[in-house]
């Protein structure tokens, strides 16, 4: 699975355990706050992705960045996943 | 499987008493402290399979995300976090060195906030968890020479109340235990007439012990305490009654 697929999978997983109804379909330009996950759900998503991918970009970044859309969220993870692979 | 409790400042005083009681109640305890005390080593010998030690200086705030990551990787998602580690510099503010003010606020306030941030997320994934922050009656009363310490504890109480609101929906409770003066190494400067006066002022004529406060922590971790969140449990022998 690539990073985007892992994120999609994690979103469904988190939505299920936090009783949230995800918007269908989640597209690149879907605004995160309208995706169906609430703020607690996003905290859980970041924790789930840290377990799955071994990275937490939002801790590693020097300046806080808050992605607005699903596409922006995925790109942040792709960028840090590449950096972490380069560093190994 | 035994529930995992991450306990900071576990090597001495109240932390050690909490470790003892949680082990008696069959929790798996991950003790975190700068170094392993003799008492903690002895405790580990008596129940080695359920007590692990991880050395860490919690004042090194930048290292805390990696510490929490390592905890989860090695031991899995914790059930509970007890933020007990603290320093208690005693001195009037006017002459307290700025580095000691920073050191105290880092260890007593920022470190518990960051530990909570990184371990709460795992608890949310489990839809169950407990965070207990060790405060002090000084958060609400005044005591000469403890202004910065008091600020850190009052900060911890405010933090706990609002975090309880955030985490409640995720099945995680957040509370404080506020002990009164206990005879531990941290309060060893309190002697003679001052100590006698504190004892006299308590409702039960004695100081609460670390074991008394540890019992409250153990209760807050129990299933029976699942509806208690966002509050401060005072264990002070009635000193502030």
């Amino acid at each position: 699975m690539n990073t985007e697929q892992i994120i999609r999978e994690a979103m469904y997983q988190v939505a299920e355990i936090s009783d949230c109804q995800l918007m269908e379909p989640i597209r690149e330009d879907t605004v995160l706050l309208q995706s169906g996950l609430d703020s607690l759900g996003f905290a859980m998503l970041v924790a789930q992705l840290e377990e799955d991918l071994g990275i937490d970009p939002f801790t590693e970044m020097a300046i806080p960045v808050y992605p607005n859309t699903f596409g922006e969220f995925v790109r942040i993870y792709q960028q840090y996943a590449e950096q972490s692979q380069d560093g190994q | 499987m035994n529930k995992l409790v991450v306990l900071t400042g576990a090597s001495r005083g109240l932390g050690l008493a909490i470790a003892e009681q949680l082990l008696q109640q069959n929790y798996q305890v991950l003790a975190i402290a700068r170094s392993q005390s003799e008492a903690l080593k002895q405790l580990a010998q008596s129940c080695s399979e359920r007590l692990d030690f991880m050395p860490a200086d919690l004042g090194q705030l930048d290292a805390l995300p990696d510490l929490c990551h390592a905890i989860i990787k090695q031991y899995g998602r914790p059930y509970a976090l007890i933020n007990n580690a603290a320093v208690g510099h005693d001195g009037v503010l006017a002459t307290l060195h700025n580095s000691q003010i920073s050191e105290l606020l880092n260890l007593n306030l920022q470190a518990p906030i960051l530990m909570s941030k990184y371990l709460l997320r795992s608890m949310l994934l489990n839809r169950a968890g407990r965070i207990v922050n060790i405060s002090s009656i000084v958060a609400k009363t005044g005591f000469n020479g403890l202004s910065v310490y008091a600020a850190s504890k009052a900060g911890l109480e405010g933090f706990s109340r609002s975090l309880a609101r955030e985490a409640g929906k995720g099945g995680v409770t957040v509370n404080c235990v506020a002990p009164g003066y206990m005879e531990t190494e941290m309060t060893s400067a309190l002697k003679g007439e001052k100590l006698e006066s504190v004892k006299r002022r308590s409702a039960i004529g004695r100081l609460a012990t670390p074991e008394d406060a540890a019992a409250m922590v153990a209760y807050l971790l129990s299933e029976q305490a699942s509806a208690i969140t966002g509050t401060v449990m005072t264990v002070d022998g009635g000193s502030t009654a």
Side-chain angles (χ1 to χ4, degrees), chain A residues 17 38 50-51 56 59, chain B residues 69 77 118 121 127 169:
Chain A
I17 53 176
D38 57 11
E50 189 176 7
E51 288 187 8
D56 173 8
T59 290
Chain B
H69 184 71
R77 296 173 187 165
Y118 288 102
R121 303 198 301 198
R127 308 293 291 165
K169 220 180 91 185

Side-chain angles (χ1 to χ4, degrees), chain B:
Chain B
M1 213 170 96
N2 305 98
K3 288 175 170 173
L4 174 69
V5 180
V6 177
L7 169 63
T8 71
S11 61
R12 295 177 295 180
L14 176 58
L16 191 64
I18 294 170
E20 280 172 350
Q21 291 198 19
L22 295 185
L23 288 167
Q24 281 165 13
Q25 297 185 19
N26 289 321
Y27 288 98
Q28 176 86 30
V29 177
L30 175 59
I32 296 180
R34 270 178 299 188
S35 58
Q36 201 172 10
S37 65
E38 267 314 308
L40 194 60
K41 277 182 197 164
Q42 279 176 12
L43 193 59
Q45 274 168 6
S46 60
C47 33
S48 57
E49 75 284 3
R50 283 189 294 107
L51 175 62
D52 284 294
F53 175 74
M54 196 178 259
D57 179 357
L58 299 173
Q60 302 295 317
L61 301 177
D62 290 344
L64 298 186
D66 284 344
L67 172 70
C68 293
H69 184 71
I71 291 171
I72 294 164
K73 208 168 171 189
Q74 199 171 333
Y75 298 95
R77 296 173 187 165
Y79 167 69
L81 165 67
I82 300 164
N83 284 307
N84 166 69
V87 282
H89 298 315
D90 185 7
V92 294
L93 180 66
T95 53
L96 197 60
H97 197 275
N98 291 359
S99 66
Q100 284 186 302
I101 296 174
S102 299
E103 183 200 0
L104 191 148
L105 292 175
N106 281 350
L107 184 65
N108 291 17
L109 188 56
Q110 281 221 61
I113 290 174
L114 291 173
M115 291 297 288
S116 300
K117 173 184 172 180
Y118 288 102
L119 296 181
L120 166 68
R121 303 198 301 198
S122 292
M123 296 177 201
L124 293 173
L125 288 175
N126 276 347
R127 308 293 291 165
R130 300 278 191 269
I131 295 177
V132 179
N133 293 314
I134 303 301
S135 180
S136 162
I137 54 166
V138 174
K140 291 202 184 79
T141 64
F143 205 87
N144 184 357
L146 290 180
S147 61
V148 184
Y149 179 77
S152 73
K153 295 303 187 184
L156 211 46
E157 292 188 3
F159 166 70
S160 303
R161 277 190 288 271
S162 286
L163 187 63
R165 290 261 171 201
E166 285 179 28
K169 220 180 91 185
V172 179
T173 69
V174 186
N175 292 290
C176 283
V177 170
Y181 293 97
M182 299 178 294
E183 287 180 70
T184 64
E185 279 175 56
M186 193 193 270
T187 56
S188 58
L190 199 66
K191 287 189 185 102
E193 181 45 37
K194 227 171 165 183
L195 180 63
E196 285 311 310
S197 141
V198 170
K199 282 185 187 172
R200 266 199 311 274
R201 282 206 303 259
S202 78
I204 58 172
R206 67 166 178 91
L207 297 181
T209 64
E211 289 69 30
D212 293 324
M216 179 53 78
V217 173
Y219 172 66
L220 288 172
L221 260 53
S222 72
E223 208 39 55
Q224 289 89 333
S226 60
I228 299 172
T229 193
T231 195
V232 180
M233 310 299 260
T234 302
V235 183
D236 69 346
S239 298
T240 52

Side-chain angles (χ1 to χ4, degrees), chain A residues 12-31:
Chain A
Y12 285 109
Q13 226 174 305
V14 165
E16 200 180 315
I17 53 176
S18 59
D19 294 326
C20 291
Q21 184 66 47
L22 274 192
M23 191 182 137
E24 292 281 0
I26 300 281
R27 294 196 318 232
E28 171 132 339
D29 60 355
T30 299
V31 174

